[in-house]
Amino acid sequence: MKGVVLISGSGSNLQSLIDNAEKIDLDIQAVISNKEDAYGLKRAQSANISTHAINHKNFDTREKFDQSLSQIIDQYQPDIIILAGFMRILTSEFTQKYAGKMLNIHPSLLPKFQGLNTHQRALDAGECEHGVSVHFVTSELDGGPVIAQARVQVLADDTVESLAQRVLTEEHKLFPKVVHCFTQGRLSLNDNCIVVDDKCL
């Protein structure tokens, strides 16, 4: 399947998708970032993937940014849009346009800790476990139906950095697996219900 990946930062999840692209039946057509200095753009260029940087600060409204982003995406007619550390809140018009074909990875066990600073918040809350979720994107921030999760134990001596690193290791394993399920045609979204192998979860 043809895919477009949206990023904002270093692109480590993007790298795991690039490294596994052939195995997971994913043809990454383009990588788009809302930050021109995102290291993930260099990762994409090293893999000979087209890149675009579109600075959200150049737009007066979210709607105008999303419209411009949508125009770039539509050039590639992707079957799947993958948010791999894309740090923008998307408008409902945008999410509805690509409903059922947009996946996001979020570093928490949703619905816990939607939004930012998830590792610090998990530590502050005294959580025994933490982790990562992959979900379909809807108009609700980090609120779309959760497809899969991976869990890690929170250790007594954990810092934000040590916890984040263990979660990231799980992210790099989980995201390609879920994307592969989608590219095989086994995963879909039907009336807000996740369907895997023709069964509604």
Side-chain angles (χ1 to χ4, degrees):
M1 277 191 182
K2 293 196 299 183
V4 167
V5 182
L6 309 184
I7 63 166
S8 295
S10 70
S12 69
N13 271 302
L14 166 65
Q15 189 66 57
S16 75
L17 294 171
I18 291 172
D19 293 344
N20 289 284
E22 193 170 334
K23 285 189 286 187
I24 63 175
D25 306 313
L26 178 66
D27 178 9
I28 303 174
Q29 297 277 302
V31 172
I32 307 170
S33 175
N34 65 311
K35 295 188 176 179
E36 290 145 355
D37 61 349
Y39 184 69
L41 293 173
K42 293 181 180 177
R43 293 181 191 269
Q45 289 157 3
S46 297
N48 296 313
I49 297 169
S50 297
T51 59
H52 300 266
I54 170 171
N55 191 336
H56 60 275
K57 293 178 181 176
N58 295 337
F59 298 84
D60 338 1
T61 64
R62 290 189 187 279
E63 287 76 15
K64 288 180 181 176
F65 171 78
D66 282 5
Q67 286 163 9
S68 186
L69 175 61
S70 184
Q71 287 172 0
I72 297 172
I73 291 171
D74 290 348
Q75 292 174 27
Y76 296 95
Q77 299 184 316
D79 304 296
I80 181 173
I81 299 163
I82 302 166
L83 278 60
F86 186 62
M87 307 301 287
R88 292 289 299 161
I89 295 173
L90 296 165
T91 59
S92 57
E93 183 182 10
F94 184 94
T95 57
Q96 285 164 15
K97 177 176 179 177
Y98 301 111
K101 60 193 293 185
M102 196 157 42
L103 302 182
N104 182 49
I105 191 160
H106 181 75
S108 81
L109 296 174
L110 292 172
K112 290 183 177 180
F113 310 123
Q114 296 168 326
L116 301 175
N117 304 317
T118 61
H119 309 306
Q120 183 65 63
R121 289 159 65 198
L123 290 174
D124 290 346
E127 295 289 314
C128 298
E129 62 178 9
H130 187 41
V132 55
S133 305
V134 178
H135 65 95
F136 280 106
V137 177
T138 64
S139 56
E140 183 187 351
L141 174 65
D142 298 328
V146 173
I147 303 160
Q149 294 180 320
R151 298 168 184 269
V152 301
Q153 294 302 306
V154 178
L155 306 178
D157 59 350
D158 260 329
T159 62
V160 168
E161 292 74 22
S162 65
L163 184 56
Q165 188 55 55
R166 289 207 312 288
V167 171
L168 195 61
T169 299
E170 295 304 318
E171 290 180 36
H172 296 165
K173 292 188 272 188
L174 183 66
F175 212 9
K177 287 180 183 175
V178 175
V179 169
H180 194 202
C181 195
F182 188 95
T183 59
Q184 288 178 311
R186 297 174 50 217
L187 169 66
S188 61
L189 184 64
N190 186 3
D191 288 335
N192 227 36
C193 174
I194 293 170
V195 179
V196 178
D197 295 333
D198 299 322
K199 292 179 183 175
C200 187
L201 300 184

